[in-house]
Amino acid sequence: MLTLEDIHTYYGNLHALQGISLSVNEGEIVCLLGANGAGKTTTLMSICAINRVKKGKISYLGRDITKMATDRIVKTGISHVPEGRRIFRELTIHENLMMGAFTRKDKKGVQKDLKRMYDHFPVLYDRRQQYGGTLSGGEQQILAIARGLMLRPKLMLFDEPSLGLAPKIIAQVFDIIKEINQSGTAVLLVEQNANAALKLAHRGYVMESGKIVLEDSSYNLLHNEQVKKAYLGAE
Amino acid sequence: MELKRKFLSNKNILLALFALIVLAYPYIPLEGYYVSLGGWSFHMGIINNNYTLHVVVLIMLYMLLSMGLNIIPGYTGLLDLGFVGFYGIGAYTSALLTVNLAAAAFPLSLLGNFWVILPLAALNGALFGVLLGAPTLRLTGDYFAIVTFGFSELVILIVLNESWLTNGPIGVRGIAAPAIGDYVFTSERAFYYLILFMLILVIIFIKRIANSKIGRAWFAIRENEIAAEAVGINIIKYKVVAFAISASIGAVGGAFFARWMRFVSPDMFKFWESVLILCMIILGGLGSIKGVLAGAFIMTALAEILRAVLPYAEELIRPVANVELVGARYAVFGIVLIIMMRFKPEGLFPETRVIAEMHPSTDAILDAQTDTFWDKRRT
């Protein structure tokens, strides 16, 4: 459903993405691995046009979205859960969730989804009038994911959802991502935590300084000597 | 019975009383009296003469202007140092239309009518707001502040140099007072009600827009631009809208100012005015309507009080040091702001959102330590 063909992105003179090609199919979880600075976040930012692509083509559900503005891309159903959570600290939980549905016009559907989020994450309901900044790290990640779900997305981009969370909480967050995928949403997951991410994903890509160096099923990647050494910790 | 009790709550009675005082203020006869103290005689009490009424009108004008500026730093989080440019554009729009067209033949004379000028000035302000904002709002932080500062200087330079239109440094004189039919606004009392009416309209307008989808988009942009983009807010569009609204409120204030003073000159729209208005909203509390109104009240009143008090202080310290203190009110404003920044950085009447941000509770940390959240999650 999402295809990137030979994507080049620059930060000023820095050639951050040097010809990325990848694809996400319907109902799939695809993970993007790589060291710091490999360009994983930039890839996600390029997909939703927060960073402009210089060369290459991004198509989504048969449409060319390379030149589309971010808000239009979001409207087509790509939800981006950015790195470091980036919830709105001075908006209440309720307002945060409503911001997730900013581009949606169907008020009834939004209310239904809001109820669904509260049912699914009771802690958000208990604190709906509190400011986002008062939540703990794990709760903020949940809020960021729930905000992303309020779009009723067909594709969700997760950027380091496990960043700065306790191991027990990471497991819970990954469970939630799995649930989201099982309900029919395709997922593109960027992770440092390669082990957990590969166990969750169907396929994976490995990035190194702006290029994709490896592409395989997650089972093969988990047992690939090179990947084991570089990202999983040698045994 | 229940309804009656609700209606007659203390808060409502106080509000009604306040509204009554505001409405009747120009007619309350308060006489001042003199107190003699060691050779000097002080004027005490509030006297309701043209001077105090003039100051109150000035306070309300600054309230209106700070409400307009507040949209930019308060709601969208951008530093705008060029607000006075829009104020000046509004004032000159109003002044020039009045002087040149009020006495013209019928259809053109409409353009010299105050009630037509108000929306025209607002539109003109919005137009310049969009012209300035659309290309520059991509800039962030200090760069944007510098561009706006440059803009307000540019407005003054154009007014100074294009004297065929603006009469240059001499300014525009003899601007007719506003009128409704045959009734001409000549007394301060009339202007008091006019600016009160305009201020109330602006407050209602801003309250409504802050609670709308546009307002929520502004708050989101103020807090986190990337997250705002990620949820699908067109950042540039909403910033330009904010800029246009802020500019048009500034221009409306200017349009009133020109017809009230009946004289405008480039000196009135110097950079200092922008800083003063910015100080008002920071003193009161960025983004809070109550705070902004309080800030404008305190700063304008303080300026007038200092104007009266500083000559006395000058006389007092004359035996010790022979200094001129009249210009020292700017220093006093500076000291007030420094004290605020040290002890109450969020302002006098901050928005609850900002309090939460500046004084984070320890709850979040406690929650992170206990696992209550994860136990609550339904499996």
Side-chain angles (χ1 to χ4, degrees), chain A residues 92-128:
Chain A
T92 62
I93 311 291
H94 177 82
E95 287 167 328
N96 262 283
L97 290 173
M98 290 308 283
M99 288 312 295
F102 190 81
T103 53
R104 283 176 61 177
K105 295 272 188 291
D106 55 324
K107 280 188 181 161
K108 268 187 192 154
V110 170
Q111 285 307 321
K112 221 170 121 189
D113 281 356
L114 188 69
K115 203 177 159 293
R116 212 159 56 89
M117 290 308 136
Y118 283 149
D119 280 348
H120 207 70
F121 308 114
V123 69
L124 297 183
Y125 182 77
D126 294 345
R127 305 193 176 179
R128 63 192 183 281

Side-chain angles (χ1 to χ4, degrees), chain A residues 70-71 74 86 88-91 95 99 102-103 119 123 126-127 131 134 136 139 142 168-169 172 179, chain B residues 213 220 222-224 227 229-233 238 352-353 356-357 364 367 371 373-374 376-378:
Chain A
T70 306
D71 55 307
V74 171
R86 291 187 185 267
F88 301 113
R89 301 177 64 85
E90 291 175 19
L91 298 188
E95 287 167 328
M99 288 312 295
F102 190 81
T103 53
D119 280 348
V123 69
D126 294 345
R127 305 193 176 179
Y131 293 112
T134 63
S136 70
E139 290 166 336
I142 295 301
K168 185 179 168 192
I169 296 172
Q172 299 269 12
E179 282 170 37
Chain B
K213 199 172 172 179
R222 173 182 71 189
E223 282 186 48
N224 204 318
E229 273 201 276
V231 297
I233 297 170
Y238 281 96
T352 42
R353 300 178 195 280
E357 183 74 357
D367 283 337
D371 274 347
F373 165 64
W374 298 100
K376 266 188 187 161
R377 191 174 129 63
R378 218 164 51 191

Side-chain angles (χ1 to χ4, degrees), chain A residues 10 15 24 33 39 42 47 53 64 79-80 99 146 149 160 165 191 196 210 213 219:
Chain A
Y10 291 80
H15 199 171
V24 181
L33 304 174
T42 313
I47 292 171
V53 171
D64 183 0
S79 182
H80 181 194
M99 288 312 295
L149 284 170
E160 306 256 0
L165 300 182
E191 256 304 336
V213 293
Y219 180 85

Side-chain angles (χ1 to χ4, degrees), chain B residues 134-187:
Chain B
T136 60
L137 279 163
R138 280 161 218 278
L139 299 172
T140 48
D142 303 343
Y143 302 105
F144 179 74
I146 290 167
V147 170
T148 55
F149 165 62
F151 168 76
S152 73
E153 290 299 297
L154 216 67
V155 169
I156 298 224
L157 280 177
I158 289 171
V159 167
L160 275 174
N161 288 302
E162 299 301 313
S163 34
W164 59 273
L165 178 69
T166 61
N167 215 11
I170 305 152
V172 182
R173 280 170 198 286
I175 304 163
I180 303 175
D182 286 337
Y183 177 77
V184 183
F185 288 64
T186 44
S187 64

Side-chain angles (χ1 to χ4, degrees), chain B residues 23-81:
Chain B
L23 274 178
Y25 174 78
Y27 289 95
I28 300 172
L30 287 164
E31 279 304 315
Y33 48 93
Y34 285 90
V35 178
S36 290
L37 226 171
W40 281 311
S41 69
F42 290 102
H43 203 165
M44 298 285 284
I46 311 156
I47 36 161
N48 214 347
N49 59 19
N50 260 340
Y51 169 66
T52 46
L53 210 52
H54 181 90
V55 172
V56 173
V57 173
L58 193 68
I59 287 174
M60 287 201 280
L61 175 62
Y62 275 110
M63 283 177 171
L64 187 139
L65 292 173
S66 354
M67 294 294 291
L69 175 62
N70 181 39
I71 294 173
I72 302 300
Y75 292 164
T76 62
L78 292 159
L79 183 56
D80 178 359
L81 293 176

